[in-house]
Amino acid sequence: MESLVQSINATFEAFCKDATLQVEKNNKAAGTRARKASLELEKLMKAFRKASLECAKK
């Protein structure tokens, strides 16, 4: 579970960086990377929810 949280943090940092570049400098490539990171975050969050529920059952 700890590695999952680290992965979420790393992906979110990448998302923030690219989203900021898109907003501030109108960087289209950064926007594409930010959208890709958001999809990865969605998958990671679902995995976290599942793992969290499993830990709560113990």
Side-chain angles (χ1 to χ4, degrees):
M1 180 120 155
E2 188 174 323
S3 64
L4 181 60
V5 172
Q6 290 174 350
S7 181
I8 290 171
N9 285 333
T11 305
F12 185 72
E13 287 175 18
F15 167 77
C16 287
K17 177 184 156 202
D18 290 328
T20 301
L21 282 173
Q22 181 186 18
V23 170
E24 291 178 355
K25 297 185 178 181
N26 200 23
N27 186 328
K28 291 181 182 181
T32 301
R33 290 190 302 270
R35 289 190 298 276
K36 184 177 178 184
S38 71
L39 291 174
E40 183 63 28
L41 275 172
E42 180 182 17
K43 292 176 189 175
L44 290 170
M45 290 297 185
K46 286 180 181 182
F48 174 79
R49 184 174 191 279
K50 186 176 181 180
S52 178
L53 287 172
E54 286 298 318
C55 285
K57 288 181 182 179
K58 291 181 183 179

